[in-house]
Amino acid sequence: MSAHPRRIRLKPWLIAQVDSNQYPGLQWVNPERKLFCIPWRHATRHGPAQDDENTVFKAWAQETGKYSEGVDEPDPAKWKANLRCALNKSREFKLIYDGTKDTPLQPYKIYEVCEGPPANGDTLAGEDQGYCLGEEEEELQKMTALTIADPSQGAEPLPPYAWPKQEASYPTPCGSSSFTLLPPAGAAAPTGPFAAPGKLPVPSPGGSLPLAALPDLPPADEALQPMEQFVPDLLISPHMLPLTDLEIKFQYRGRAASALTISNPHGCRLFHSSLPATREQVELFGPVTLEQVRFPGTEHIPSEKQRFYTHQLLDVMDRGLILELQGQDLYAIRLCQCKVFWAGPCATPRPGPNPLQRERKVKLFSLEGFLNGLILFQKGQTSTPPPYEIFFCFGEEWPDQKPKEKKLITVQVVPVAARLLLEMFSGELSWSADSIRLQISHPDLKDKMVEQFKELHQLWQNQQAEPAPWPMQASSMQQ
C-alpha cells in the first residue's frame, strides 16, 4: 500500500519538471508567455507499455505519495487523471489548447503559467479533492441520450425509398460480372499517410511541438520503381481498377473493432440482427444480392458503461444501413431505427451535424467527381487532393465538437479505386504488379470516363518526362 498523500505545491514542482527536460515532450513552447506543452496521449491510442514508464503523470503520483514503485499496481490512466484534476483545480495554470478535443486529434495540451498570487492558493496535493473521474468515464457520464428514432412518434415524414418488387441485378459499366484487384492472401495492405499535419496553435520559437512522428517512407526512387510499369497500364485499361471494392473499418469509441474489404458489385448492408435478409422481405432489409456485413460484437469493450450504450444502439440496427453501388457512384440508404450521421466527398457543406434521412437515397461518392478533382490537383489548380473517405457515426450527432474517437460507433468506408489512384500519383504505393491477382471483365466504360483516364495518363507521362526541379533551380541561380 502506498504512503499517505503528501502536501506538494503543484506550480513550483511542475515548472521544475518542464525546466528539467527529463520527460519526452514536456517542454516550453513559448517561454516568454510561460506556455508549455504536455504530451497527452489519447486513452484510445495504445502504445508500447514503456511509454507509460517515464511520464510526468507517474512522477506526480510518486511525488504526492499516491504511487510507490514495487508496492502499488501501475495505473497510468489514474496517474493522468490525478494530474489533470490538479491542473483543473489550480488557479495558477490555464489551459490554452486541448488537442485531445480537436479533429483530427492532437496528442498534447498547452498550459499557461499564470503570474501573481492566486485567489485561493495553488493546489496542494494531499488535500481531499474527491474522486477524480478518468477521461473515458467522464465522457460516458456526460452521455444523456442517444439519437434513436422514437417509434412512438411514428415514421419520419419522408418519402420511403422504393425497393424493386423483383430483384434485378444492378447494371455495371463492365457488364454483369465484377472485377477485383486485391493483394494475395497474407500480403500486407498498402499504407501511407495522406493527411497533412495540423497547424500548430502556438508556434515554438526554438523547435516544434512533440507531435507524433510520421512513419518512415521508402525513398522516392524505391517507391516509384514498380509503378513505372504498373500505373500506365491501369490508366490505359481502367477496367483493371477495383471499382467495386470497398474497405470498411468499424471503431467502437476510437478502438478498432474489425476491418474488411468487400467486392460485391451491388454493395453491402451493415446491420446487427439475428434475422436474415430474404427475398420475401426486400422492403424490410433490402436486396439479398447485397453483401451482408454484421457489426462486430462488444465482448472486447473494457468499459461496462460503454458496452451498455453500444448495445442500445446495436439493438435498433436490425434493418441496417445500405451502401449501394450504382455505376461508379456509391449511395447510402438508412433503414435502421438508429439515426446515422455522416461526412464525405458528396456531403453538402453545412455547420453542425449531417444526418441521413431514413429511407432516402443519398449519394456518398462519385468516381467522376473524384477524377475531376485529381486532374485539377495534378495540374496544380487546387492545393489539396480530392477527398474520398466516408465516415458514419451511429446514434450520436456528428460532426460536432467531439472528435470521432469519442463516439460510440463509427464506420469508415473507403472506395479502394480512389485510394489507389491517389497513391499512384503520390508515389506512395509500394507493392508491385506481380503481387496483384487480377480478375478482368469487359472494358465497357462510358466515353467521358475514358477521356478522364486518358487525361490522367497524359499527366503521368508529363511528370515522368519533366526533369527534377533541383538542377533547374541550381542552374537558374548560377545565371
Side-chain angles (χ1 to χ4, degrees), residues 14-77:
L14 188 51
I15 290 177
Q17 308 315 306
V18 180
D19 288 335
S20 72
N21 294 318
Q22 183 178 353
Y23 304 102
L26 180 66
Q27 64 187 46
W28 295 105
V29 295
N30 190 326
E32 292 77 15
R33 287 189 55 196
K34 297 290 185 182
L35 299 179
F36 65 93
C37 176
I38 300 183
W40 213 283
R41 185 160 53 87
H42 196 269
T44 59
R45 298 286 191 247
H46 294 294
Q50 60 266 26
D51 288 356
D52 297 320
E53 288 304 309
N54 185 31
T55 66
V56 69
F57 308 112
K58 179 181 178 182
W60 177 246
Q62 290 176 314
E63 186 70 22
T64 56
K66 295 183 178 179
Y67 172 70
S68 296
E69 194 85 49
V71 177
D72 298 322
E73 189 72 22
D75 191 348

Side-chain angles (χ1 to χ4, degrees), residues 198-348:
K199 295 181 180 178
L200 300 182
V202 180
S204 170
S208 60
L209 292 175
L211 301 179
L214 290 175
D216 293 332
L217 294 176
D221 55 349
E222 179 183 333
L224 290 175
Q225 181 65 29
M227 299 309 301
E228 291 177 359
Q229 300 175 354
F230 182 47
V231 172
D233 291 341
L234 282 182
L235 296 179
I236 293 172
S237 305
H239 58 281
M240 295 169 64
L241 280 167
L243 297 176
T244 65
D245 282 14
L246 297 175
E247 289 178 352
I248 301 175
K249 297 179 181 180
F250 295 89
Q251 285 197 334
Y252 288 166
R253 207 163 162 76
R255 296 179 181 177
S258 79
L260 71 159
T261 300
I262 67 150
S263 303
N264 191 309
H266 309 300
C268 64
R269 179 175 75 107
L270 312 182
F271 74 104
H272 189 275
S273 176
S274 57
L275 300 174
T278 64
R279 293 182 181 275
E280 294 75 25
Q281 296 178 324
V282 169
E283 292 187 6
L284 289 179
F285 302 113
V288 296
T289 52
L290 297 168
E291 188 93 4
Q292 303 296 316
V293 179
R294 201 171 190 273
F295 276 81
T298 61
E299 58 273 10
H300 299 300
I301 295 177
S303 166
E304 185 177 348
K305 275 187 189 299
Q306 184 185 345
R307 282 198 305 273
F308 171 78
Y309 286 119
T310 304
H311 275 298
Q312 274 197 306
L313 296 180
L314 293 176
D315 284 345
V316 288
M317 290 190 197
D318 299 86
R319 296 182 63 194
L321 174 71
I322 303 293
L323 300 178
E324 180 187 297
L325 286 163
Q326 189 170 335
Q328 305 307 323
D329 296 333
L330 178 64
Y331 295 85
I333 304 139
R334 175 196 149 210
L335 303 180
C336 58
Q337 185 181 343
C338 178
K339 292 188 178 181
V340 183
F341 300 82
W342 73 291
C346 295
T348 303

